């Protein structure tokens, strides 16, 4: 018998396209299995058929996220994280660090000074691109003059009299009027670039193996997390990028642009033609560059800094803006000649917002399906007793699996005691405070058609405070909903629905918890968090 030489491991690795298809296929199969499992627990009758179909459809739509999180958490420890190669640069290409700003009144000078002083390479300029109102111009010019005193002939200012198409329009006009720049590093007004970050990204961009990469996205860390809530945002941003975006890069070979803290090839950005009226350009940049044959790469070995909302109220306002901008990207999912990975990344951001609405409706429907108000709209097979109540074992284990995945999928990231402390901290704050988003996000999304398209930037003061009266004024609807839900579970259902307890607790306590987490962390507590 003829023998064949052994093939060395890793000689023929799977392509990113194959890895993407296999991963998403596994997520889809797990979702289908869960749908079949819960469907088999329903007693299908003529009068409950349509209610059952709607309930199962909602479950399947929502379980896709559970399947995604589970698949990624299982795969995450085995993903090989490799940094993009860098080239030695003899002569630096013409590069601009740009700060698009609009009516920013806090910390702008300090952030720009920090960013440029640590990345002042030859052939690198810094531009303040202002879309501010006229009364802000003297303040901004004063900042620029102070910067120019330390960095003569390197700092420039440009203000648009008619700011159209927001940040993306600002950058597009700059690129059109300054075609001499080869690269563009984009900063938001709260952005800070650590020393050496620009050099690392330029080296990657100049390496011949990275010619198909249009945007080199840096890992974003949170600075000045002085409040209890900002500390939660800092941990969440760190975990989210380690869990999602590092995994996307390893599996898909690409990721999605964040819209800032990235180095972009200016010539390619100038070729992007965005639809008018967009609030958010990040996902559009990613997909349109993909159509041109280029990708966005996540550079986990290069980091930059942003500020975070100091309180839940500001975070909610930011989430409303993000929802508006992201949902405008629905056409991207249907765009032709786009890779499966970029199509999924554009879809997934939209899916998460739609899932918030579906979950809220599905939750209300599920509560009413077994209540004194609507009777029994869906019939389930009863085959076990759990916590003193008659139940179905398939539904029980599906629920336990889903809750375990949602709450504990980030355990795969824990490498040391600090990671464990951060995980527990995020778990507590998300349970007692941000679980309120189950109520507020659907309301915000459903009100989008009633609101004029408008982008009010996040307040950039990391030390901003909130008062109790304003907190109560903003969050009282959630408290009222929580108390109403508690009354429903106690008196309008045959048995208390204990699964709703975390959500009801979060809603009822939302005002004091939001107010307390907006306070600064005392010095004595910083050591153990």
């Amino acid at each position: 018998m003829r023998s064949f030489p052994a093939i060395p491991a890793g000689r023929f690795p799977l392509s990113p396209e194959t890895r993407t298809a296999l991963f998403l296929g596994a997520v889809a199969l797990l979702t289908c299995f869960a749908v079949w499992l819960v469907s088999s627990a329903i007693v299908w009758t003529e009068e409950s058929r349509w209610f059952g179909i709607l309930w199962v459809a909602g479950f399947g739509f929502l379980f896709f996220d559970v399947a995604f999180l589970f698949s990624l958490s299982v795969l995450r420890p085995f993903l090989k994280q490799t940094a993009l190669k860098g080239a030695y640069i003899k002569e630096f290409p013409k590069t601009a660090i740009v700060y698009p700003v609009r009516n920013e009144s806090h910390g702008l000078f300090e952030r720009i000074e920090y960013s440029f002083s640590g990345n002042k390479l030859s052939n690198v300029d810094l531009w303040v691109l202002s879309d501010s109102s006229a009364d802000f111009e003297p303040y901004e010019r004063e900042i620029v003059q102070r910067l120019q005193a330390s960095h003569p002939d390197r700092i420039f200012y440009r203000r648009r009299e008619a700011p159209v198409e927001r940040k993306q329009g600002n950058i597009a006009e700059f690129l059109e009027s300054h075609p001499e720049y080869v690269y563009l590093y984009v900063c938001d007004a709260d952005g800070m670039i650590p020393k050496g970050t620009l050099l690392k990204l330029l080296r990657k961009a100049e390496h011949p193996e990275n010619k198909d990469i249009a945007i080199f996205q840096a890992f974003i860390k949170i600075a000045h997390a002085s409040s209890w809530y900002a500390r939660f945002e800092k941990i969440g941003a760190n975990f989210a990028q380690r869990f999602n975006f590092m995994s996307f890069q390893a599996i898909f070979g690409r990721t999605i642009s964040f819209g800032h803290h990235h180095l972009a090839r200016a010539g390619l950005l100038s070729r992007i033609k965005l639809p008018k009226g967009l609030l958010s350009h990040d996902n559009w940049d990613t997909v349109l560059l993909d159509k041109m044959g280029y990708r966005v790469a996540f550079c986990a070995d290069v980091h930059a800094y942003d500020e975070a909302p100091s309180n839940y109220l500001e975070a909610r306002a930011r989430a409303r803006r993000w929802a508006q901008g992201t949902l405008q990207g629905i056409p991207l999912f249907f765009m032709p000649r786009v890779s499966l990975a970029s199509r999924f990344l554009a879809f997934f951001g939209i899916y998460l917002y739609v899932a918030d609405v579906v979950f809220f409706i599905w939750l209300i429907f599920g509560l009413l399906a077994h209540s004194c108000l609507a009777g029994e709209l869906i019939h389930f097979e009863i085959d076990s007793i759990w916590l003193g109540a008659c139940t179905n074992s398939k539904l029980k284990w599906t629920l336990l699996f889903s809750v375990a995945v949602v709450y504990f999928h980030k355990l795969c990231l824990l490498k040391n005691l600090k990671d464990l402390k951060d995980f527990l901290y995020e778990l507590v704050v998300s349970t007692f405070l941000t679980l309120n988003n189950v109520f507020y996000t659907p309301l915000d999304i459903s009100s989008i058609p009633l609101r004029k398209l408008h982008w009010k930037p996040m307040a950039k003061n990391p030390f901003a405070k909130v008062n109790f009266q304003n907190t109560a004024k903003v969050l009282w609807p959630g408290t009222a909903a929580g108390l109403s839900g508690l009354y429903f579970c106690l008196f309008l259902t045959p048995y208390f629905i204990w699964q709703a307890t975390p959500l009801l607790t979060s809603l009822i306590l939302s005002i004091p918890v939001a107010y307390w987490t907006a306070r600064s962390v005392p010095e004595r507590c910083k050591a153990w968090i």
Side-chain angles (χ1 to χ4, degrees):
M1 181 179 295
R2 184 180 177 183
S3 62
F4 293 90
I7 299 176
R11 182 74 174 273
F12 297 103
L14 295 176
S15 67
E17 292 77 12
T18 303
R19 294 197 302 267
T20 301
L22 289 174
F23 173 75
L24 296 181
V27 173
L29 283 174
L30 183 56
T31 303
C32 291
F33 173 75
V35 169
W36 169 81
L37 192 66
V38 300
S39 298
S40 65
I42 295 178
V43 178
W44 295 97
T45 62
E46 191 63 35
E47 65 272 13
S48 65
R49 183 176 303 278
W50 285 108
F51 294 106
I53 291 174
L54 289 174
W55 186 85
V56 171
F59 168 81
F61 186 84
L62 296 169
F63 193 85
F64 179 83
D65 187 37
V66 176
F68 170 82
L69 294 175
F70 175 74
S71 301
L72 203 55
S73 65
V74 170
L75 196 59
R76 182 67 180 80
F78 303 99
L79 295 177
K80 185 179 180 181
Q81 305 298 326
T82 56
L84 296 175
K85 295 180 180 178
Y88 174 74
I89 301 177
K90 294 182 179 179
E91 184 176 350
F92 288 99
K94 192 72 172 173
T95 303
I97 300 173
V98 298
Y99 269 83
V101 300
R102 179 175 175 80
N103 298 345
E104 301 292 345
S105 59
H106 184 87
L108 190 59
F109 171 81
E110 290 78 10
R111 294 178 185 123
I112 295 178
E113 171 65 27
Y114 170 83
S115 296
F116 193 65
S117 62
N119 296 276
K120 193 168 61 172
L121 306 172
S122 60
N123 267 339
V124 174
D125 300 326
L126 188 143
W127 284 80
V128 177
L129 306 180
S130 174
D131 272 349
S132 301
S133 53
D135 54 324
F136 268 82
E137 184 174 1
Y139 166 72
E140 292 173 347
R141 288 194 178 276
E142 179 186 351
I143 287 177
V144 170
Q145 289 172 3
R146 291 173 62 191
L147 292 165
Q148 289 172 337
S150 302
H151 314 286
D153 303 322
R154 308 290 295 278
I155 308 293
F156 301 93
Y157 178 77
R158 175 181 176 272
R159 179 177 172 271
R160 296 197 297 172
E161 293 291 340
V164 295
E165 294 305 311
R166 304 170 184 86
K167 173 184 168 184
Q168 59 267 27
N170 198 347
I171 293 176
E173 288 187 19
F174 172 78
L175 290 172
E176 185 178 358
S177 57
H178 292 278
E180 69 271 20
Y181 290 107
V182 180
Y183 294 105
L184 208 66
Y185 187 102
V186 182
C187 266
D188 282 352
D190 61 338
M192 292 159 282
I193 314 172
K195 183 177 181 179
T197 291
L198 183 59
L199 174 60
K200 293 175 184 177
L201 293 178
L202 282 172
R203 290 188 61 201
K204 294 177 187 296
E206 287 291 286
H207 197 281
E209 291 187 12
N210 301 328
K211 288 183 178 179
D212 66 327
I213 300 175
I215 292 179
F216 299 80
Q217 179 64 58
F219 190 112
I220 299 178
K221 298 183 178 182
I222 301 300
H224 305 129
S226 61
S227 69
W228 294 99
Y229 184 80
R231 171 67 179 170
F232 163 77
E233 287 273 344
K234 179 178 181 177
I235 294 169
N238 179 277
F239 278 157
Q241 289 174 91
R242 288 169 58 191
F243 185 81
N244 289 306
F245 296 99
M246 290 176 67
S247 300
F248 293 160
Q249 184 64 37
I251 299 172
F252 304 154
R254 64 184 68 217
T255 187
I256 198 164
S257 167
F258 297 178
H260 66 293
H261 276 317
H262 63 228
L263 183 72
R265 300 187 191 275
L268 295 177
L269 278 191
S270 64
R271 290 167 54 188
I272 294 176
K273 305 302 178 186
L274 297 172
K276 295 186 181 300
L278 292 181
L279 286 177
S280 178
H281 61 96
D282 321 351
N283 47 1
W284 287 85
D285 289 347
T286 302
V287 173
L288 294 178
L289 285 169
D290 186 294
K291 286 195 67 173
M292 293 160 54
Y294 296 91
R295 60 192 171 109
V296 177
F298 186 69
C299 304
D301 58 327
V302 184
H303 72 273
Y305 291 108
D306 266 354
E307 304 288 1
S310 64
N311 57 82
Y312 177 67
L313 303 187
E314 184 63 40
R316 263 201 65 207
R318 183 185 65 175
R320 284 195 296 269
R321 297 190 297 270
W322 284 358
Q324 279 185 283
T326 301
L327 291 173
Q328 285 181 311
I330 292 176
L332 295 173
F333 181 67
F334 304 99
M335 196 167 284
R337 299 186 303 279
V338 176
S339 69
L340 177 61
S342 291
R343 193 182 303 278
F344 170 75
L345 290 171
F347 156 79
F348 194 61
I350 297 165
Y351 162 81
L352 291 177
Y353 282 112
V354 176
D356 285 331
V357 178
V358 173
F359 179 66
F360 184 73
I361 297 173
W362 185 80
L363 188 66
I364 298 300
F365 179 77
L367 291 174
L368 291 175
H370 297 86
S371 68
C372 300
L373 299 177
E376 189 174 3
L377 301 179
I378 307 174
H379 309 294
F380 294 101
E381 294 180 355
I382 304 300
D383 60 8
S384 62
I385 302 294
W386 187 35
L387 298 179
C390 298
T391 188
N392 179 276
S393 57
K394 296 175 183 177
L395 296 181
K396 175 183 69 176
W397 289 112
T398 302
L399 172 64
L400 289 176
F401 175 79
S402 301
V403 171
V405 169
V406 170
Y407 271 84
F408 302 111
H409 64 275
K410 294 177 184 175
L411 285 175
C412 63
L413 299 175
L414 307 190
K415 296 181 179 180
N416 49 49
L417 181 59
K418 181 182 181 302
D419 281 346
L420 177 60
K421 288 164 60 177
D422 287 348
F423 171 77
L424 294 175
Y425 186 95
E426 185 189 39
L427 193 66
V428 171
V429 177
S430 61
T431 300
F432 282 96
L433 183 57
T434 57
L435 200 55
N436 283 282
N437 292 338
V438 171
F439 173 77
Y440 287 114
T441 300
L443 294 185
D444 292 336
I445 292 175
S446 62
S447 67
I448 286 177
L450 306 177
R451 295 199 302 265
K452 182 180 178 181
L453 289 178
H454 177 63
W455 188 279
K456 181 183 177 183
M458 183 190 84
K460 304 301 191 300
N461 184 359
F463 310 103
K465 307 296 181 184
V466 297
N467 60 58
F468 189 85
Q469 182 179 1
N470 188 51
T471 305
K473 181 180 178 181
V474 174
L475 298 181
W476 72 264
T479 302
L483 293 172
S484 300
L486 180 62
Y487 176 83
F488 179 91
C489 290
L490 287 173
F491 301 108
L492 298 180
T493 56
Y495 48 86
F496 183 77
I497 306 174
W498 64 267
Q499 297 95 326
T501 301
L503 175 58
L504 297 179
T505 302
S506 182
L507 288 168
I508 293 170
L509 299 179
S510 59
I511 294 173
V513 173
Y515 173 73
W516 186 83
T517 53
R519 299 169 61 187
S520 297
V521 178
E523 288 295 329
R524 66 180 181 274
C525 298
K526 291 181 179 179
W528 57 267
I529 65 167

